[in-house]
Amino acid sequence: MSDEGEPSGAGRAATDGGHAHEFPPTSSVRRWLVTTNHKDVGILYVVTSLFFLVFGGVLALLMRLQLWSPGADVLSAVSYNQAVSAHGLIMIFWFLSPFAFGFANYVVPLQIGAKDLAFPRLNALSYWLYLFSGLLLGVSFFQGGTFAGGWTMYAPLNVPVYTPNVGASTAVLALILFVASVTVSSVNFLTTMHRMRAEGMTLRRMPLFSWTILLTVWMMLFAFAALLAALLILASDRLLGTTYFSAKAGGSLLWAHLFWFFGHPEVYIVFFPALGVMAETFQTFTGRRIVGRKWFIAAMVLVALQSFLVWMHHMFLTGINLEIKTLFMATTIGISLPFDLMVFALIYTMIKGKIRFTTPFLFSFGALLLFILGGITGVFLGAVVLDYEFRGTYWVVAHFHYVMVAGVTALVGGLYYWFPKMTGKMYDRLLGKLHFAIYFVGFNLLYFPMFLAWETPRRDFVYDAAFVTEHRVATVGAFLLGASFLVMFYNLSTSLVAGDDAEDNPWEYSRTTEWALPSPPPLENFPKVPSFASGSLRFGRGAADGGEVGSTSTTRPSSEQRSDGGLAANATPVAQATGSAHPTGHGADHASVWPFVVGLASFFALLGVSGFKTGTLAPGVGGVLAMASLTFGTALGGYALVSMAREQFTVESGPFGESWPFAGVENTKLGVWIFLASDVVLFGAFVGSYVFIRVAHGWQEWHDLVPAAHVPLPGLINTYLLLTSSFSVVLALVAAERGSRWGLVGSLATTFALGVAFLVNKAMEWQHLFHVHSEAFPHGWELGTNVASSTFYLTTGLHGAHVAVGLLISLYLLVRAWNGAYLDDERPVEYFGLYWHFVDIVWLFLFPLFYIL
């Protein structure tokens, strides 16, 4: 076994378009460009997120230098606003969640007994989209300055009148690309965790860290879809000239609703993985199973559901009536109660166990202390009367960081906890504890004085001179906190190069399956097929032995699996227990360069899009470069997607055990359903935005904003076209099932033709409306004419984009069907049908809303 956890000797063979080649070692740059293995992707996430930690941290230190005295001139006013905005965006989006999901990528498949995630290439794609979205944000600093309207991007500060820089538009596009990464990852993790668990690994037995990731990903699926809607509308306002968020009636409030419907679940999206780390480390270093485990899980489920019902407590200062404010004050207080249960469960676990003050435990325990203070101070903000006083002050800044950076504290503990497993090396324990001491002191010196100086207005570097002492103490604390990470980087880097070899299980009372594997684990994770059916970890015969999936070994390894999904104390690695550490199964398929290429293409395409303003490119060289970047990125992306679709890449599909509630749904179909669930929220947010703006303007008065030429007939024709195309997709599936090649080709061709007819009819309608000339609309009815035209064109345009994507897929299927594909496996046609039917159903809602009512 090599240090990288690969089979000894030559690397595994991988396939690329059917041609075998050696899977490169970890010392090769090529390995990291082509890998799709979940452990490699996890390491990439961790390392990249730590880079963004430094990026955001440097911006924070610049801000603290500016706050050394009131009105200091370290940064200009605009530069300070950019630093504040970018710091918040980077830490929330590009550091916190990706840092946690680095561990999730690495650990969750090991904990649930899976060899990899359900869709390995999509896992790699999610990473590359994440990386290039962060690079795109970095580029925005060099385009006249990045976004400067605060990380919450409140309207109308987010429209070009107030933030006119090209870089501000690029920052919005970077966030859109990041959300695309999150969506791909969410679909992948949900499919994996519901369909790829080993035999006997029921939801009840699943480890607590995996539970937190499962709930986090469900929240991400819906919350980020709402954010995507907000960002797409904002990008349209900035690039195409629509007028959603500059609308006098409801524009600013609409952004607040969309953003905070995402924003409050995001708090728990960030904190839940940290909570999972705390639960795992508390169990390991107290030697005690978490007290009230089933109630702990129930509390997390309740918080995940409630997180979508409290968003308006961020909007108490708006014009919402008092009854609604009171209702959301009650839901805010209500969501704190399950957290009380979880906090007491962790405390009682410590009381009933025997604490071992290791570095991971110190960080987890410190996180608990910080979170308790952050939670208590947050209850103040949940009260309407107190929120009127505290909103917009440093009380909010301090509370927010005591919650969010408490999550960081636990995740740093997770880094120390899993570092031996991921690297095979042990960190320096003394330096680890020194890191915690400096970190904890620096943290409290930085953030606690903000409670004392709470009357300081947030996002403003000019403050009352009475608070100079508090701000200077906070600045010292900031640099101390930053210095603590230098200790961590030194510790981990030197340990990686010259540290002591770690035992496969360095923790005496570790409870989860990853500690039963070598450090680092082999490429294929498990030597043979894992099973938890008997209540203990057993192994069936591997594929190389001719064994069947789910068969169990008669030899019981000494590393036993507890009924709660945890390993018994003093576990022995299964590789030693079974006498084999060589992977079996699908290990030949871990390499694909196309996810990287798609990410690169997305970067160039969106960089080109950032050059647009009110639908036109900037004149001169800038416009030419933007068009060149857009063309290159689009062409490269199209080629990469087709190549990835044609690439031979096989993975095990599951299920291997209990997969409730999706036991009868194949992996790809489940992935499509999950994606469509997020798309429901996306379209729901667009439709809700239209209804909200229209009600704010006046439902009947809305007709004054619409020309008489906007008649129902084009929409009615398109309704018939789409309904007919859905019928032809059904015929295509029937033809494939019956083995009728020409029936399949003809039905797909009919679907394609009807979809093209839909878009042509839509284009003719738009062209007509653009050139309507009347007394009320002397310049036509264009995207930016009024808010009614903006909502019509953007919402139906989003639907048209879905139709266009469907046409590209159908064209690909048509070409393949012409060559005889899908007659022996009709599933791709079925999956396309699910998407196409969804697009048609959406139109059945849009037609009456925009053409009749």
Side-chain angles (χ1 to χ4, degrees):
M1 185 66 58
S2 66
D3 289 340
E4 294 77 27
E6 299 168 352
S8 56
R12 274 277 189 171
T15 59
D16 185 2
H19 302 287
H21 60 270
E22 297 298 321
F23 192 56
T26 54
S27 58
S28 167
V29 173
R30 184 173 176 273
R31 161 69 169 260
W32 302 102
L33 296 178
V34 304
T35 186
T36 64
N37 182 264
H38 73 95
K39 296 183 292 297
D40 292 343
V41 174
I43 291 172
L44 287 170
Y45 264 110
V46 169
V47 172
T48 306
S49 63
L50 288 174
F51 164 78
F52 285 111
L53 167 66
V54 175
F55 189 177
V58 169
L59 293 174
L61 293 179
L62 288 174
M63 291 155 50
R64 289 312 317 173
L65 286 174
Q66 181 83 352
L67 293 167
W68 183 257
S69 59
D73 57 358
V74 175
L75 299 170
S76 67
V78 173
S79 297
Y80 180 82
N81 287 338
Q82 290 179 15
V84 170
S85 306
H87 165 74
L89 292 172
I90 290 169
M91 290 304 201
I92 293 293
F93 294 106
W94 280 278
F95 166 59
L96 267 167
S97 288
F99 189 40
F101 270 80
F103 302 137
N105 265 278
Y106 201 101
V107 173
V108 166
L110 301 176
Q111 289 192 342
I112 66 174
K115 289 190 174 182
D116 210 319
L117 292 178
F119 310 113
R121 288 184 300 173
L122 290 188
N123 193 31
L125 177 62
S126 70
Y127 167 75
W128 292 114
L129 293 178
Y130 155 62
L131 173 63
F132 283 111
S133 69
L135 296 179
L136 194 62
L137 180 72
V139 169
S140 70
F141 282 87
F142 303 96
Q143 294 179 304
T146 190
F147 188 81
W151 83 270
T152 53
M153 307 176 105
Y154 281 142
L157 293 179
N158 54 13
V159 299
V161 172
Y162 299 101
T163 48
N165 294 341
V166 173
S169 298
T170 305
V172 174
L173 294 172
L175 281 168
I176 291 175
L177 190 57
F178 177 82
V179 174
S181 164
V182 169
T183 303
V184 171
S185 180
S186 298
V187 170
N188 204 357
F189 267 90
L190 288 173
T191 304
T192 300
M193 298 187 75
H194 282 295
R195 287 277 303 169
M196 304 291 286
R197 300 195 304 275
E199 182 183 22
M201 178 55 72
T202 62
L203 286 175
R204 183 178 63 84
R205 291 178 173 179
M206 199 162 64
L208 286 175
F209 178 73
S210 291
W211 254 111
T212 60
I213 297 300
L214 178 63
L215 294 173
T216 297
V217 176
W218 273 116
M219 288 189 287
M220 289 169 64
L221 184 74
F222 300 119
F224 275 92
L227 177 63
L228 179 60
L231 292 171
L232 288 174
I233 294 171
L234 177 57
S236 177
D237 276 9
R238 297 189 62 88
L239 304 175
L240 302 179
T242 53
T243 58
Y244 272 83
F245 298 130
S246 57
K248 293 181 180 179
S252 297
L253 201 58
L254 172 63
W255 172 265
H257 278 295
L258 289 172
F259 182 84
W260 287 117
F261 185 79
F262 148 80
H264 200 81
E266 171 66 3
V267 174
Y268 307 111
I269 287 168
V270 167
F271 190 76
F272 262 35
L275 186 64
V277 171
M278 291 163 65
E280 297 289 358
T281 52
F282 271 54
Q283 291 184 130
T284 296
F285 299 113
T286 63
R288 178 70 168 78
R289 183 176 183 265
I290 203 81
V291 172
R293 184 180 190 273
K294 66 179 180 180
W295 297 108
F296 193 94
I297 294 171
M300 291 193 297
V301 173
L302 189 58
V303 167
L305 295 173
Q306 286 182 279
S307 67
F308 291 93
L309 303 176
V310 297
W311 80 93
M312 267 195 262
H313 72 217
H314 293 276
M315 302 166 61
F316 283 160
L317 296 190
T318 65
I320 300 169
N321 65 54
L322 182 59
E323 289 78 7
I324 293 179
K325 290 178 181 177
T326 304
L327 173 63
F328 276 84
M329 181 175 68
T331 60
T332 301
I333 295 172
I335 202 171
S336 68
L337 300 179
F339 270 111
D340 295 341
L341 187 152
M342 289 184 277
V343 167
F344 281 116
L346 294 172
I347 292 173
Y348 276 116
T349 301
M350 288 190 292
I351 292 173
K352 289 179 175 291
K354 181 180 179 182
I355 298 174
R356 293 153 185 84
F357 288 98
T358 62
T359 301
F361 177 81
L362 287 172
F363 274 96
S364 292
F365 179 62
L368 179 62
L369 296 178
L370 299 174
F371 176 71
I372 290 172
L373 182 56
I376 291 172
T377 55
V379 173
F380 287 74
L381 298 171
V384 176
V385 175
L386 291 176
D387 189 70
Y388 271 65
E389 189 70 18
F390 287 132
R391 180 65 57 186
T393 70
Y394 263 56
W395 183 279
V396 177
V397 178
H399 152 71
F400 183 78
H401 285 84
Y402 262 90
V403 173
M404 302 297 272
V405 189
V408 175
T409 308
L411 292 175
V412 171
L415 180 59
Y416 281 107
Y417 184 60
W418 283 303
F419 181 81
K421 180 57 58 182
M422 298 168 76
T423 65
K425 298 291 184 179
M426 199 67 197
Y427 59 85
D428 186 294
R429 294 171 175 83
L430 180 60
L431 286 179
K433 292 179 179 179
L434 176 64
H435 174 205
F436 170 74
I438 301 174
Y439 176 99
F440 198 74
V441 172
F443 180 103
N444 286 286
L445 282 178
L446 170 57
Y447 296 119
F448 192 79
M450 295 182 186
F451 286 122
L452 305 179
W454 68 269
E455 292 178 279
T456 303
R458 64 189 302 190
R459 306 189 188 99
D460 192 346
F461 57 86
V462 180
Y463 56 89
D464 193 316
F467 302 123
V468 168
T469 300
E470 288 86 348
H471 279 285
R472 290 186 175 178
V473 170
T475 299
V476 172
F479 278 88
L480 197 60
L481 183 64
S484 75
F485 281 101
L486 296 180
V487 176
M488 183 191 79
F489 288 132
Y490 173 79
N491 186 1
L492 298 187
S493 60
T494 55
S495 298
L496 183 63
V497 174
D500 295 334
D501 290 338
E503 299 176 25
D504 293 332
N505 182 12
W507 315 123
E508 185 178 4
Y509 292 100
S510 56
R511 293 173 170 267
T512 47
T513 310
E514 72 270 25
W515 300 110
L517 298 172
S519 297
L523 189 67
E524 298 293 333
N525 293 348
F526 299 99
K528 296 182 180 181
V529 179
S531 172
F532 304 92
S534 65
S536 61
L537 177 60
R538 295 172 179 248
F539 283 84
R541 292 176 294 166
D545 303 320
E548 297 180 359
V549 173
S551 60
T552 56
S553 170
T554 56
T555 303
R556 177 170 175 165
S558 58
S559 50
E560 297 180 351
Q561 181 71 18
R562 296 168 51 94
S563 61
D564 63 353
L567 287 168
N570 301 309
T572 302
V574 294
Q576 176 183 341
T578 58
S580 171
H582 291 279
T584 60
H586 76 282
D589 290 324
H590 280 302
S592 177
V593 73
W594 300 117
F596 165 76
V597 178
V598 172
L600 180 66
S602 302
F603 172 84
F604 281 107
L606 291 181
L607 187 62
V609 170
S610 69
F612 281 85
K613 188 174 183 180
T614 63
T616 59
L617 281 170
V621 177
V624 173
L625 291 176
M627 180 55 70
S629 181
L630 175 59
T631 303
F632 171 73
T634 303
L636 181 63
Y639 176 76
L641 287 172
V642 172
S643 299
M644 190 161 72
R646 292 176 56 83
E647 183 179 45
Q648 295 183 17
F649 195 97
T650 56
V651 295
E652 297 179 2
S653 60
F656 304 105
E658 192 266 353
S659 55
W660 180 87
F662 304 110
V665 185
E666 190 267 336
N667 278 12
T668 306
K669 182 188 289 189
L670 179 58
V672 173
W673 278 116
I674 291 171
F675 168 75
L676 293 180
S678 72
D679 228 17
V680 168
V681 177
L682 175 65
F683 275 106
F686 267 83
V687 171
S689 298
Y690 162 74
V691 172
F692 183 86
I693 288 286
R694 182 168 176 176
V695 169
H697 184 273
W699 189 266
Q700 294 301 323
E701 291 79 359
W702 189 263
H703 294 292
D704 297 335
L705 304 178
V706 182
H710 183 45
V711 294
L713 183 59
L716 183 62
I717 293 172
N718 272 344
T719 302
Y720 284 120
L721 288 172
L722 281 187
L723 288 175
T724 307
S725 71
S726 268
F727 181 67
S728 64
V729 170
V730 173
L731 293 179
L733 180 59
V734 172
E737 290 174 342
R738 294 180 176 178
S740 173
R741 175 183 175 187
W742 296 114
L744 174 60
V745 170
S747 299
L748 287 174
T750 302
T751 303
F752 181 80
L754 290 169
V756 170
F758 174 93
L759 291 182
V760 170
N761 186 50
K762 174 63 66 180
M764 293 171 60
E765 178 194 14
W766 282 19
Q767 184 70 9
H768 174 64
L769 292 174
F770 283 163
H771 295 89
V772 164
H773 295 293
S774 64
E775 184 177 347
F777 304 99
H779 304 293
W781 201 56
E782 299 179 339
L783 274 75
T785 299
N786 54 44
V787 71
S789 66
S790 294
T791 55
F792 169 73
Y793 289 122
L794 192 57
T795 308
T796 58
L798 176 68
H799 177 267
H802 278 70
V803 172
V805 170
L807 288 178
L808 292 175
I809 298 172
S810 67
L811 183 61
Y812 176 81
L813 295 176
L814 180 59
V815 172
R816 295 288 315 281
W818 183 275
N819 294 320
Y822 311 127
L823 299 181
D824 56 348
D825 184 3
E826 73 281 355
R827 288 177 299 173
V829 179
E830 180 186 2
Y831 305 149
F832 165 69
L834 292 175
Y835 173 84
W836 193 258
H837 297 322
F838 169 78
V839 172
D840 294 352
I841 291 170
V842 169
W843 180 255
L844 294 180
F845 286 91
L846 299 186
F847 171 62
L849 274 175
F850 287 97
Y851 289 89
I852 298 176
L853 295 178

